[in-house]
Amino acid sequence: MQVSKDVLNYCAAIWAGFAILLLPVLLKYKAPYGRHISFAWGKTISNRFGWIVMEIVSPLVLVLCFFSGFNGSNLFALSLVAIWVIHYFHRSVIFPLYIRTTGKRIPIAVVGMAVFFNVINGSLNGLYLGHFQTEFPREWPGMCRLILGFALLIAGAYINIRSDYILIRLRKPGETLYKIPQGFLFRFVSCPNHLGEMIEWVGFAIMAWNLPALSFAVWTIANLMPRALHHHSWYKKHFPDYPKERKALFPFLI
Ligand code: NDP
């Protein structure tokens, strides 16, 4: 398959620009799933099934696009593919099986938009990794980037997963109510799971050092920063005893 690096980079830049343009809309309108679900968004399906369907698309598309290229023996490209696949195996299989979401629904429209988002990100990143990713950097600036990016990726994944599982365990099996999360980084912010995910993909972009990875980090921030702000307002509205000093996303700041 013939792919132009310039065209791929233009597409990634336009895609990232679109995220930035959409940010005011995402800040104004809450993504209608989880606690912000709105049945005005039409037909719904089981929340657990929705998570599996919308997230499994990303690693499948990434791997398919990757193997359309000639980088099957490029160890660095393969390592980045492995990171993506491990993250999304957790997100599309393990996370949906663990969530305590009995009876909860998700609009098909939300699942459809997430599938579209995952197809674009999976294909841009898969094509770049498969066709153009160079081998492990051997010079100092590249090696420093790799170490910094990997450290952020691991720290972000740890924060994300640990926080998600604290939230999930707030409910007993069969419960659907919300409680005030405590401990770990919840002492400082309402949504450390979203903060961790943002750090993780910024780390990945620094490691990969290419435009498609950067565009995915930009989209992750554009999705999760508004969601964290909306969650924070929701907590303050629903829990009069919500800790006053707790911020939404960045400790002591926002
Ligand atoms: P939330 O924090 O809204 O929810 C995570 C899970 O914990 C859900 O099952 C939720 O239930 C439950 N939960 C949350 N808060 C409470 C509470 N106070 N009491 C009881 N249960 C609670 O996360 P999201 O749904 O926004 O995202 C899930 C994961 O997906 C996160 O790790 C996020 O980073 C990632 N993600 C990544 C995106 C990207 O662009 N890369 C985009 C969106 C999500 P319920 O669903 O019933 O609210």
Side-chain angles (χ1 to χ4, degrees):
M1 182 179 166
Q2 197 92 45
V3 181
S4 153
K5 188 174 179 182
D6 285 345
V7 170
L8 203 53
N9 280 335
Y10 283 132
C11 290
I14 291 168
W15 181 234
F18 183 47
I20 294 166
L21 285 179
L22 211 63
L23 188 57
V25 179
L26 297 170
L27 283 166
K28 183 159 182 209
Y29 300 101
K30 301 177 183 89
Y33 66 97
R35 78 195 63 192
H36 308 296
I37 188 165
S38 159
F39 292 95
W41 280 69
K43 284 207 164 96
T44 60
I45 54 173
S46 136
N47 188 44
R48 196 185 310 279
F49 181 61
W51 270 97
I52 295 171
V53 171
M54 64 190 178
E55 300 297 310
I56 198 86
V57 168
S58 177
L60 292 179
V61 170
L62 180 113
V63 168
L64 267 178
C65 290
F66 176 75
F67 283 110
S68 73
F70 321 97
N71 262 350
S73 56
N74 175 328
L75 276 185
F76 186 36
L78 281 169
S79 310
L80 294 167
V81 169
I83 289 169
W84 191 287
V85 169
I86 291 167
H87 173 93
Y88 273 101
F89 176 74
H90 170 260
R91 178 67 69 237
S92 61
V93 180
I94 299 174
F95 174 80
L97 291 180
Y98 269 92
I99 48 178
R100 295 187 171 159
T101 196
T102 313
K104 289 215 160 192
R105 314 285 294 172
I106 185 167
I108 292 175
V110 171
V111 175
M113 282 189 281
V115 167
F116 174 74
F117 169 79
N118 282 329
V119 167
I120 303 281
N121 288 309
S123 46
L124 286 174
N125 281 277
L127 287 174
Y128 194 97
L129 294 176
H131 291 258
F132 307 112
Q133 189 70 40
T134 48
E135 257 295 358
F136 277 107
R138 288 181 203 287
E139 81 299 357
W140 269 112
M143 281 159 70
C144 292
R145 266 197 326 258
L146 189 60
I147 293 165
L148 171 70
F150 189 63
L152 287 173
L153 177 106
I154 296 297
Y158 174 73
I159 294 170
N160 171 254
I161 291 173
R162 184 161 170 198
S163 310
D164 265 345
Y165 287 91
I166 289 176
L167 290 172
I168 290 168
R169 286 197 210 100
L170 288 173
R171 291 178 183 150
K172 297 193 183 76
E175 273 184 355
T176 51
L177 76 174
Y178 292 89
K179 301 173 188 175
I180 300 179
Q182 306 287 357
F184 188 46
L185 297 183
F186 290 100
R187 284 190 293 143
F188 305 106
V189 292
S190 294
C191 300
N193 55 338
H194 297 146
L195 174 65
E197 180 111 16
M198 285 162 50
I199 294 173
E200 182 180 347
W201 290 109
V202 168
F204 181 87
I206 293 174
M207 282 179 78
W209 207 247
N210 65 51
L211 274 177
L214 176 66
S215 75
F216 185 53
V218 170
W219 264 104
T220 298
I221 294 168
N223 278 331
L224 295 182
M225 202 169 67
R227 189 155 173 83
L229 294 172
H230 293 143
H231 276 24
H232 188 61
S233 309
W234 184 95
Y235 277 122
K236 287 200 290 187
K237 188 170 154 202
H238 287 83
F239 295 102
D241 54 339
Y242 198 67
K244 298 268 177 294
E245 66 291 350
R246 198 177 288 187
K247 300 290 183 188
L249 190 60
F250 300 112
F252 314 111
L253 295 171
I254 300 170

